[in-house]
Amino acid sequence: MFNNELMADVHFVVGAQGAARRVPAHKYVLAVGSSVFYAMFYGDLAEVKSEIHIPDVEPAAFLVLLKYMYSDEIDLEADTVLATLYAAKKYIVPALAKACVTFLETSLEAKNACVLLSQSRLFEEPELTQRCWEVIDAQAEMALRSEGFCEIDRQTLEIIVTREALNTKEAVVFEAVLNWAGAECKRQGLPVTPHNKRHVLGRALYLVRIPTMTLEEFANGAAQSDILTLEETHNIFLWYTAAKKPLLDFPLTKRKGLAPQRCHRFQSSAYRSNQWRYRGRCDSIQFAVDRRVFIAGLGLYGSSSGKAEYTVKIELKRLGMVLAQNLTKFVSDGSSNTFPVWFEHPVQVEQDTFYTASAVLDGSELSYFGQEGMTEVQCGKVAFQFQCSSDSTNGTGVQGGQIPELIFYA
């Protein structure tokens, strides 16, 4: 009977004028599935009209709602899931609303996290809000530079800019705020000028922690943006350089960001004169986690014969697909310590899926290596599971080898 004229006793005209769709329905079915529809059709102030206009719900989302109420089937798509969540909230259909939130959580990534944060606040979905913050905090630079950041509302902008845990440079925050201001000028039909950007930002400009930038970042960015007054620019330069610092209207304390955690998979380390040489071979290990985390880099062993510099290429792969890589250098001091090597951006890693971490080193051939490796490691609230990787051509496995640490945010 879903979307069927047969025995239909009510019709909905759904959507904005010009794009509306007429949908047949059956009062009894809807009243059974929703207290809002029950009140609408059988309550004290019941509708007597046979045609009901709903301009604030998208037709596609309304059909998803009706299909669920008729058949318990949920057909969600990325393009309509937010509109469906709105409809499920409006007509108090909790199971559909929960399915929408779960769908959004599984599709959440840096490029849409800010938009979903804005929507989760609107729909009062605290679990989704928390998940959005996890992504925005850990992958702040990608989230702030996404197109979606420019689409958020003003209040969400202010909440993000005041966030203590944002894991990025303040210059990136300032650049993102300027991009948002340009988009907001267009939304308001204003010319995109420094004066109008400042106008649409209002107090949000004074939430950016400009004095926590380096002098070079300020001079090459904010000082040349034309959005600050000459007096503000002058005073900030004095704040950097003068003994007697002027009062500023901007926050002076640096963001705390996120503290990286380290999962160490070996119980001891060692070195031998005839072992652990490199020559361009690959050290590799597979791992899985029991909750979503963000891998920021790898901790590696260095030279066992004094201070040495290494060139290293690190990679993170899933099912053979490269998710992140970095070609860089690090210096080891001859100790058995681990030395962090970072990816350009933290990588979101899903639970219960195996990923492959690899490192190809070139440098002093004699190196420390790990021993007594563990198959499972509990690191805070996250359980890591390790297994050998077929990519490894240099002897690294679960029991011993390189890649002693995974550096992550959770």
Side-chain angles (χ1 to χ4, degrees):
M1 303 302 289
F2 163 66
N3 198 22
N4 195 330
E5 289 286 354
L6 182 64
M7 293 190 289
D9 53 0
V10 66
H11 287 80
F12 295 94
V13 179
V14 187
Q17 192 171 6
R21 178 170 175 177
R22 196 166 186 267
V23 179
H26 308 80
K27 292 181 181 179
Y28 175 75
V29 175
L30 302 188
V32 167
S34 161
S35 58
V36 175
F37 282 125
Y38 177 85
M40 182 185 294
F41 299 133
Y42 301 109
D44 294 337
L45 300 174
E47 288 274 4
V48 293
K49 295 181 290 185
S50 61
E51 189 171 275
I52 298 169
H53 289 256
I54 309 178
D56 60 329
V57 175
E58 292 183 13
F62 191 73
L63 287 171
V64 174
L65 172 74
L66 257 59
K67 186 170 185 178
Y68 171 72
M69 297 177 75
Y70 276 79
S71 65
D72 267 357
E73 291 181 21
I74 300 177
D75 292 333
L76 297 177
E77 295 182 4
D79 293 344
T80 57
V81 63
L82 281 170
T84 304
L85 177 58
Y86 174 78
K89 289 276 190 178
K90 178 181 172 105
Y91 294 105
I92 312 181
V93 184
L96 180 59
K98 184 176 181 181
C100 291
V101 170
T102 301
F103 183 95
L104 289 169
E105 286 181 349
T106 58
S107 61
L108 179 60
E109 52 188 338
K111 67 182 181 182
N112 62 11
C114 294
V115 171
L116 292 184
L117 175 70
S118 178
Q119 297 296 327
S120 68
R121 292 179 56 252
L122 175 66
F123 295 135
E124 297 180 340
E125 288 290 344
E127 290 184 17
L128 180 57
T129 299
Q130 178 58 34
R131 279 289 302 114
C132 290
W133 278 127
E134 290 174 10
V135 174
I136 294 169
D137 288 342
Q139 298 179 308
E141 185 172 339
M142 290 193 291
L144 294 179
R145 285 182 168 162
S146 68
E147 292 182 10
F149 180 80
C150 294
E151 300 171 10
I152 61 178
D153 60 279
R154 166 75 175 276
Q155 190 176 16
T156 303
L157 171 77
E158 293 183 2
I159 290 172
I160 291 175
V161 175
T162 56
R163 183 77 172 175
E164 192 69 33
L166 285 182
N167 202 40
T168 191
K169 295 179 178 179
E170 203 63 27
V172 173
V173 178
F174 182 80
E175 180 188 334
V177 166
L178 283 193
N179 290 339
W180 181 90
E184 182 65 14
C185 285
K186 292 176 182 177
R187 283 191 287 269
Q188 294 188 20
L190 300 171
V192 182
T193 64
H195 176 269
N196 286 338
K197 286 183 180 180
R198 187 179 175 105
H199 170 70
V200 298
L201 280 172
R203 67 181 288 272
L205 177 62
Y206 295 101
L207 300 176
V208 183
R209 306 182 186 194
I210 292 177
T212 68
M213 298 179 189
T214 65
L215 176 57
E216 184 180 7
E217 286 171 341
F218 175 70
N220 292 329
Q224 298 184 46
S225 67
D226 292 331
I227 200 169
L228 302 176
T229 65
L230 284 175
E231 182 182 7
E232 286 169 343
T233 303
H234 174 261
N235 284 343
I236 293 171
F237 271 122
L238 286 179
W239 192 88
Y240 281 114
T241 55
K244 185 179 179 182
K245 299 186 184 300
L247 293 174
L248 300 179
D249 293 325
F250 300 93
L252 306 179
T253 55
K254 196 175 180 71
R255 298 177 198 274
K256 292 179 181 177
L258 292 177
Q261 300 180 53
R262 298 186 179 217
C263 173
H264 196 91
R265 67 188 189 91
F266 296 124
Q267 297 180 70
S268 65
S269 63
Y271 68 92
R272 300 189 191 114
S273 59
N274 63 344
Q275 267 195 44
W276 232 265
R277 298 172 182 271
Y278 292 117
R279 298 176 185 162
R281 293 192 292 261
C282 180
D283 289 288
S284 188
I285 192 73
Q286 283 194 311
F287 70 94
V289 288
D290 65 347
R291 56 170 290 184
R292 186 184 283 114
V293 299
F294 300 86
I295 300 295
L298 308 178
L300 301 177
Y301 287 125
S303 169
S304 60
S305 52
K307 184 176 179 180
E309 182 180 77
Y310 287 91
T311 298
V312 59
K313 180 181 180 181
I314 60 171
E315 278 189 343
L316 186 68
K317 295 193 289 189
R318 177 184 180 182
L319 300 175
M321 180 182 296
V322 176
L323 303 178
Q325 59 180 302
N326 192 19
L327 179 62
T328 185
K329 294 182 178 181
F330 75 93
V331 175
S332 72
D333 58 10
S335 73
S336 60
N337 295 334
T338 59
F339 301 91
V341 181
W342 306 91
F343 292 113
E344 184 179 359
H345 301 290
V347 183
Q348 183 169 309
V349 164
E350 302 297 336
Q351 67 185 48
D352 302 329
T353 302
F354 273 96
Y355 293 78
T356 304
S358 301
V360 177
L361 286 91
D362 184 19
S364 174
E365 290 193 349
L366 297 179
S367 161
Y368 285 91
F369 59 93
Q371 298 183 129
E372 301 177 275
M374 295 172 282
T375 305
E376 294 186 8
V377 179
Q378 187 70 36
C379 194
K381 295 181 179 178
V382 186
F384 285 80
Q385 182 181 348
F386 293 96
Q387 66 181 30
C388 294
S389 166
S390 58
D391 289 356
S392 187
T393 58
N394 199 36
T396 283
V398 173
Q399 296 302 317
Q402 251 288 13
I403 315 182
E405 287 181 338
L406 299 175
I407 306 171
F408 69 99
Y409 302 111

